[in-house]
Amino acid sequence: DLPFDIKFIELEDNYKELEMCGLKIQAFKVNHKVICYGYSLVLDRAGKFGPMVEVQAVIYGDPRYIGYLAPVNFGRLFPEYYRSFNQAFLALPAIASYRLAGVSENANIQARTYPTNGLGTYFAVANLGFTDLEDVEISLPGATEVENRVTGEIYKAEDGKIKLDFYAGQLYALYVK
């Protein structure tokens, strides 16, 4: 089952443009001895919202790997947001994790925790909302210093709390010794 309806469109003209799942599809008909039909897929225009599906998969699931099955995933527009997501995802260990409730007063901020045997604790913290957020207080149990695993930046925690800025759909990979 697909999460959307497939509609067959009769082309009255030689060209038609449609939107489906955030993608722009151009359908066309060419009369050259034999009638030929074709389509082209225009890169997504979702911007920072593009990797939202992957971010939700990290928070709501427990993925160790992410596989892309559609060619459009390899030629995306706004690569900085996909690069940021992939860097954070790859900075998390491929071990079992569980949801961490109450990490923020903002319901759009959700987290997973990745406990290890004597090697510290990793956290995936994400903004699942569609607005940017500033100075969001994040509670990480037992944290005194928190490392951003992508940038190497160290955040000093007060009472196990740090403050982060998020754009919509942003994922952080954090580490506490």
Side-chain angles (χ1 to χ4, degrees):
D1 291 339
L2 295 173
F4 54 86
D5 294 331
I6 294 179
K7 296 178 182 173
F8 294 95
I9 295 167
E10 185 65 36
L11 294 177
E12 293 103 22
D13 302 334
N14 289 336
Y15 177 81
K16 182 149 187 150
E17 224 174 68
L18 28 130
E19 295 268 345
M20 185 169 59
C21 295
L23 300 174
K24 184 173 161 188
I25 300 172
Q26 298 169 337
F28 55 89
K29 176 172 73 172
V30 178
N31 290 320
H32 183 69
K33 294 185 182 177
V34 177
I35 296 176
C36 298
Y37 294 92
Y39 69 93
S40 66
L41 188 62
V42 179
L43 294 172
D44 71 90
R45 297 175 290 161
K48 61 186 165 190
F49 306 110
M52 185 68 82
V53 172
E54 290 92 338
V55 172
Q56 290 175 343
V58 169
I59 296 300
Y60 292 128
D62 190 11
R64 307 314 195 283
Y65 314 98
I66 290 184
Y68 297 111
L69 302 177
V72 72
N73 290 314
F74 300 109
R76 290 174 161 170
L77 208 52
F78 308 103
E80 63 273 20
Y81 299 108
Y82 294 97
R83 186 179 304 115
S84 173
F85 165 78
N86 285 318
Q87 288 172 326
F89 179 74
L90 292 172
L92 295 167
I95 60 175
S97 66
Y98 60 89
R99 293 280 304 273
L100 184 61
V103 71
S104 174
E105 290 182 10
N106 188 318
N108 289 324
I109 303 298
Q110 299 288 321
R112 292 195 78 81
T113 182
Y114 299 75
T116 66
N117 292 326
L119 299 174
T121 303
Y122 292 81
F123 297 92
V125 182
N127 175 10
L128 299 181
F130 289 93
T131 57
D132 297 351
L133 302 171
E134 293 181 3
D135 289 331
V136 179
E137 191 170 79
I138 307 295
S139 297
L140 301 174
T144 55
E145 283 189 350
V146 180
E147 180 186 357
N148 181 326
R149 295 295 291 163
V150 174
T151 65
E153 186 176 355
I154 302 292
Y155 309 108
K156 297 291 184 193
E158 294 180 22
D159 298 325
K161 297 177 181 178
I162 61 170
K163 289 194 177 195
L164 296 174
D165 295 335
F166 290 86
Y167 59 78
Q170 185 173 9
L171 176 70
Y172 279 97
L174 304 174
Y175 173 71
V176 176
K177 290 183 184 182

